[in-house]
Amino acid sequence: MRILVGFKVTPDFESLREADWIAGEGNLADGAGVETRYVPRLLNCFDESALELALRLRDAAAGRSFVEPQLSAVSIGGSQVEPFLTTLLALGYGRAARVDVGADVDFAPAAVASILAACAHDSDGGDVLLLGCRSGPGDGGTVPFRVAETLGWPCLSQVVEIEALSGDDLRVTCLADDCLLRVTVRPPCVLAVGNAVVSRLRVPTLRDRLARRDVLVDVLRAADLGIDIDLLLEREPAGLIGLEAVRRARAGVVVGGETPHEKARHLLDDHLRAVIERL
Amino acid sequence: MSLSREAIVEGLQHIVGPEHVVTDEQVLVQSSVDNFRKLQNIFDVHTMPVPAAVVMVQSTEMAAELLRWADEQGVNVIPRTGATATEGGLESAVPDSVILDGSPMDRIIDVDACNMQATVQCGVPLQALEDRARELGLTTGHSPQSKPVAHLGGLVATRSIGQFSTLYGGIEDMVVGLEAVFPNGQICRIKNVPRRAAGPDIRHVVIGNEGALCFITEVTVKLFPYFPESNRFLGWTLKSMTTGFEALREVMVSGFKPSVARLYDPGDAGLHFSHFAADDDCVLLFMAEGPPGISRATADGIQAIVDTYPECTQVDSAYIETWFNDLCWGPDKIIAEDERIRQTRNVNRTTEISADWSSIGEIYAAARDRIVAEIPDITMMGGHSSHSYINGTNMYFNYFFNVVGVGPEEETTKYYLPIISIICEETLKRGGSIVHHHGMGKARAPWVKDEYGSSYYMLETLKQAFDPSGIMNKGTIFPI
């Protein structure tokens, strides 16, 4: 089985200065949007889950004498993506590639889907395409479905767990509105990972990095995948047109009382009892 | 004959009332350790002796009574406030210890804008004092990474230092006076004066005692005017730590007082600055603050010095300002980090030392190389200098390792302590100090005699004089 994980590297929005959100308004005319240059880059959290789940499938295969899946990873982006790809190589991903399209595709889900579908179609692509269900602010969460549609593969969303069965079958657990669905699927398929319990990617040792230092990251152009990126972006003329701060402050009170017992009493009498009685 | 656990609890309840004595098993187990056994805490695996009780200390007089009783009964006492220690100083090394928790003593007694000093009880969170000072346009100047969670008593007890130390100094430069209680119940107040030459400066008996001599109940610290609008940020990338130390030294010996002066090696820089620094880049950065004229002159002076180093490539100051705005660790970051460790078993540890300018580069390189060669499963080995002086600087080794093949309870013995051992050995070999600002705790206590040399006589005599029964925080500073 070949597993391809598509991931996105995003700015650490939590670290943005307020000024950089405000500055975004001034930059909108230039199409620059929010100023994210000054913050570190992170793996999109859902993609991080996907990358680790793929490694766990590989580990599980080794433990159960299954055929070990071949792991590949791909991301769309410039040189800032490379450190993440070299980390994946050190963790045992057989191939790590970035597609440098030379354009901002943050608001072009159809273009992103076309690129990822082309990667999956590539001779070194995958039978299983693992993606995060969505990425950072502004993402509509449609990419996995668009990729599946382009490929003509089934798509399972809100995936939280994946288990290898005999043969190439997978048992996939998905989070639905009020239940967990367990589905057995036979690849090819697209799996969109949601709020999985596994949310952190393991870390390679310095020796792992040394051992894989000669394995290079593949750098592809859109044209290498038979894609005319300009044409795709022309069909998808979307962009950031405005920013509005959302105030998340919540009303609060300081619970009075000198001792923990008094405070607990005030909390119960003044704030909780009425709520409990209503229940 | 030592008291039974039940008799200890009974004795404590008799002195302070049962409402101030916590015997909840979960609290006791969690109180048996501090962040030194981080992995054990995260996995809820506890191996240290469980304390008999945690006493929530309400007043200086209550602390005096408790200590007098513990001294008479030979009960080990561990003072704490914010419980953010990282070096095992709050671990219960012996069974049936009693934790004296000063966090209920959380009153800001006085903020004196005329004399530029604030007096607080030991359990006041530093953030609370800083917030109050800011309302008056003032600052404590003290900003350790633990500012959102640490309390003043503990900060003084561990000889803390903040991120702006190059301008404001360490806590020892800020403490004007204090109140402390000794094991015999003696309450001592050191008055608040600008300076004194009436014999030895006995503040330093208390500052940094780590609960091994006394219990700090009140401190008075200096305040400073706060000029955030004047802050200036400067940053450079460069390829060599040696050049970085040279530039840092030149800034310091030229008399400039930036509030932040840091040099990151490539490993550590990769954690914070990978969005503008290459993976083999060091990062040198400064922040100047104060009245506008001083801030401008400081920044200009530093700029002129670093400009003479052609290896240094200046970066947009917004990179440094953004980094600066995200420095402190509140509960949210701590929880996220714990979850990361829980899933990956990739543990981050730090060990800080200091040395003169002639030795610091050698210590850094020797310790780094040995750790990478001798310790298994290292995923990142790096460090930075973050507190500089006219005669030297510190090195804050920052390292990550995967815990492989052992349970959480063996993380310290397989990885952490061997790394500490290498760092201490390489530091002592070159005349440095094995602890810059985290305190000795129990983790580095085995090296205390090597650290002090012939002056250990003075340290040991203090212990014998103030704590003759040896009830104060056994194993901290002085190994068992």
Side-chain angles (χ1 to χ4, degrees):
Chain A
M1 188 190 340
R2 297 172 309 162
I3 299 175
L4 174 64
V5 187
F7 69 95
K8 183 173 180 180
V9 172
T10 67
D12 179 4
F13 286 99
E14 297 282 322
S15 298
L16 275 179
R17 298 175 304 172
E18 196 169 342
D20 290 330
W21 289 99
I22 295 165
E25 291 178 8
N27 293 339
L28 292 180
D30 309 325
V34 184
E35 181 56 86
T36 60
R37 262 184 305 171
Y38 301 119
V39 296
R41 294 305 189 257
L42 304 171
L43 281 174
N44 168 43
C45 60
F46 298 109
D47 299 340
E48 186 171 357
S49 291
L51 290 162
E52 177 61 26
L53 284 170
L55 288 168
R56 291 187 184 205
L57 280 172
R58 181 202 61 183
D59 296 346
R64 295 165 63 186
S65 68
F66 289 177
V67 177
E68 200 171 282
Q70 298 166 33
L71 305 187
S72 304
V74 65
S75 188
I76 300 170
S79 57
Q80 282 194 317
V81 174
E82 296 235 357
F84 297 89
L85 291 163
T86 53
T87 296
L88 294 172
L89 288 171
L91 286 172
Y93 274 77
R95 185 184 178 212
R98 68 179 172 92
V99 184
D100 197 340
V101 296
D104 181 4
V105 292
D106 267 356
F107 296 98
V112 171
S114 297
I115 293 165
L116 292 174
C119 291
H121 249 320
D122 187 59
S123 59
D124 294 326
D127 309 310
V128 177
L129 180 56
L130 273 179
L131 301 168
C133 65
R134 62 187 297 271
S135 62
D139 183 278
T142 63
V143 169
F145 302 106
R146 289 172 186 264
V147 177
E149 193 173 283
T150 306
L151 291 168
W153 293 0
C155 179
L156 289 169
S157 64
Q158 298 300 332
V159 171
V160 294
E161 210 173 289
I162 309 169
E163 186 188 350
L165 301 175
S166 55
D168 274 352
D169 289 356
L170 299 172
R171 180 181 293 138
V172 180
T173 306
C174 306
L175 188 63
D177 284 345
D178 54 359
C179 63
L180 287 175
L181 296 175
R182 284 212 171 79
V183 184
T184 300
V185 291
R186 177 159 299 162
C189 59
V190 175
L191 303 179
V193 177
N195 284 315
V197 175
V198 173
S199 62
R200 295 296 195 164
L201 181 65
R202 67 191 66 182
V203 185
T205 65
L206 294 179
R207 286 179 185 137
D208 293 333
R209 289 184 181 278
L210 201 59
R212 298 298 301 274
R213 69 179 167 181
D214 294 331
V215 183
L216 299 178
V217 169
D218 291 339
V219 181
L220 306 171
R221 307 283 165 194
D224 298 333
L225 297 164
I227 287 174
D228 184 339
I229 190 70
D230 294 331
L231 185 64
L232 287 177
L233 291 176
E234 266 177 38
R235 290 179 189 158
E236 208 172 13
L240 184 64
I241 57 170
L243 284 169
E244 188 178 343
V246 177
R247 294 286 163 212
R248 296 192 187 280
R250 292 194 291 183
V253 293
V254 176
V255 176
E258 287 298 311
T259 66
H261 287 96
E262 281 181 29
K263 287 176 181 172
R265 175 60 53 195
H266 282 300
L267 180 64
L268 181 62
D269 291 345
D270 303 343
H271 306 287
L272 297 182
R273 197 179 297 284
V275 178
I276 293 168
E277 283 168 2
R278 277 203 301 273
L279 289 175
Chain B
M1 188 178 154
S2 58
L3 291 182
S4 69
R5 189 177 182 82
E6 293 72 23
I8 291 171
V9 172
E10 200 175 307
L12 294 169
Q13 289 176 335
H14 180 70
I15 295 168
V16 302
E19 69 274 23
H20 300 310
V21 180
V22 180
T23 54
D24 178 88
E25 193 62 24
Q26 193 180 351
V27 173
L28 296 182
V29 168
Q30 287 170 347
S31 300
S32 67
V33 291
D34 60 23
N35 290 313
F36 176 69
R37 292 179 199 272
K38 182 156 69 174
L39 196 65
Q40 287 184 231
N41 280 337
I42 290 170
F43 283 95
D44 208 17
V45 175
H46 295 280
T47 55
M48 300 304 289
V50 178
V54 176
V55 182
M56 306 308 287
V57 182
Q58 309 293 316
S59 68
T60 301
E61 292 69 29
M62 186 186 276
E65 263 196 89
L66 285 162
L67 283 174
R68 194 181 303 117
W69 175 83
D71 196 40
E72 286 166 5
Q73 302 298 333
V75 174
N76 184 49
V77 165
I78 302 169
R80 78 173 187 198
T81 51
T84 60
T86 58
E87 306 300 320
L90 300 182
E91 283 185 356
S92 51
V94 295
D96 298 334
S97 300
V98 172
I99 313 291
L100 288 196
D101 189 322
S103 60
M105 296 180 65
D106 60 356
R107 196 159 55 88
I108 297 176
I109 297 168
D110 184 36
V111 177
D112 182 349
C114 173
N115 295 305
M116 298 295 275
Q117 58 193 27
T119 301
V120 298
Q121 288 186 307
C122 58
V124 169
L126 176 58
Q127 188 71 60
L129 177 60
E130 183 67 24
D131 290 346
R132 178 74 70 83
R134 295 274 180 95
E135 290 169 9
L136 302 172
L138 305 174
T139 177
T140 61
H142 198 55
S143 184
Q145 203 172 34
S146 60
K147 182 164 68 176
V149 285
H151 296 179
L152 264 298
L155 291 166
V156 174
T158 52
R159 221 178 170 83
S160 154
I161 203 164
Q163 291 151 346
F164 314 136
S165 70
T166 315
L167 177 60
Y168 297 104
I171 198 92
E172 69 274 19
D173 302 305
M174 300 167 172
V175 172
V176 178
L178 51 80
E179 180 188 76
V181 185
F182 286 82
N184 61 359
Q186 179 72 43
I187 299 169
C188 296
R189 292 187 70 86
I190 300 176
K191 65 185 177 185
N192 304 323
V193 291
R195 190 176 184 269
R196 66 206 96 204
D201 190 342
I202 53 175
R203 287 175 300 177
H204 296 284
V205 174
V206 177
I207 299 171
N209 87 87
E210 298 187 45
L213 299 178
C214 60
F215 182 86
I216 299 167
T217 49
E218 186 183 300
V219 297
T220 300
V221 292
K222 294 174 187 169
L223 296 172
F224 304 88
Y226 184 52
F227 299 99
E229 64 283 357
S230 306
N231 289 351
R232 286 167 174 251
F233 303 91
L234 299 160
W236 288 265
T237 58
L238 65 162
K239 298 295 181 193
S240 154
M241 283 292 278
T242 304
T243 305
F245 281 127
E246 282 172 15
L248 198 56
R249 178 191 166 278
E250 196 174 336
V251 167
M252 294 307 299
V253 303
S254 299
F256 292 104
K257 292 279 186 188
S259 56
V260 178
R262 291 191 177 209
L263 171 65
Y264 283 80
D265 83 345
D268 209 358
L271 296 178
H272 308 279
F273 308 120
S274 60
H275 50 305
F276 67 84
D279 59 7
D280 59 346
D281 273 347
C282 306
V283 172
L284 177 65
L285 63 88
F286 297 92
M287 174 177 149
E289 64 173 285
I294 291 178
S295 175
R296 191 181 321 115
T298 303
D300 291 348
I302 292 170
Q303 178 81 52
I305 287 172
V306 184
D307 279 348
T308 64
Y309 290 82
E311 281 180 52
C312 296
T313 303
Q314 191 149 16
V315 300
D316 189 332
S317 64
Y319 285 119
I320 311 304
E321 186 179 355
T322 305
W323 161 83
F324 169 79
N325 288 335
D326 202 30
L327 270 182
C328 287
W329 276 56
D332 53 336
K333 283 191 183 174
I334 293 169
I335 290 167
E337 171 69 356
D338 285 357
E339 181 55 27
R340 188 193 69 76
I341 293 171
R342 194 190 320 277
Q343 289 194 30
T344 62
R345 290 186 167 237
N346 180 250
V347 180
N348 174 212
R349 296 295 201 165
T350 59
T351 304
E352 21 60 66
I353 58 94
S354 70
D356 60 27
W357 291 114
S358 307
S359 313
I360 195 73
E362 278 183 32
I363 293 170
Y364 156 72
R368 177 201 60 195
D369 292 350
R370 274 190 65 193
I371 291 165
V372 170
E374 296 175 25
I375 307 295
D377 311 313
I378 294 285
T379 62
M380 196 290 279
M381 178 65 223
H384 61 262
S385 156
S386 45
H387 305 275
S388 285
Y389 311 88
I390 199 155
N391 60 332
T393 188
N394 81 314
M395 174 50 60
Y396 194 88
F397 289 100
N398 189 11
Y399 43 92
F400 290 67
F401 46 81
N402 287 334
V403 177
V404 180
V406 294
E409 66 279 10
E410 290 181 81
E411 176 249 334
T412 49
T413 46
K414 181 174 178 183
Y415 300 100
Y416 193 16
L417 285 169
I419 293 173
I420 290 174
S421 182
I422 289 172
I423 292 171
C424 288
E425 284 170 25
E426 296 302 327
T427 302
L428 289 167
K429 205 186 288 180
R430 293 169 179 84
S433 172
I434 60 170
V435 186
H436 179 261
H437 62 267
H438 283 176
M440 293 282 275
K442 294 176 180 70
R444 282 179 261 184
W447 288 274
V448 66
K449 289 184 181 172
D450 296 323
E451 167 74 13
Y452 275 75
S454 60
S455 68
Y456 183 71
Y457 163 75
M458 296 167 69
L459 184 72
E460 193 177 34
T461 304
L462 284 174
K463 180 72 172 172
Q464 287 163 354
F466 289 118
D467 181 24
S469 308
I471 61 140
M472 296 299 288
N473 207 355
K474 277 189 206 300
T476 289
I477 300 180
F478 305 90
I480 294 176

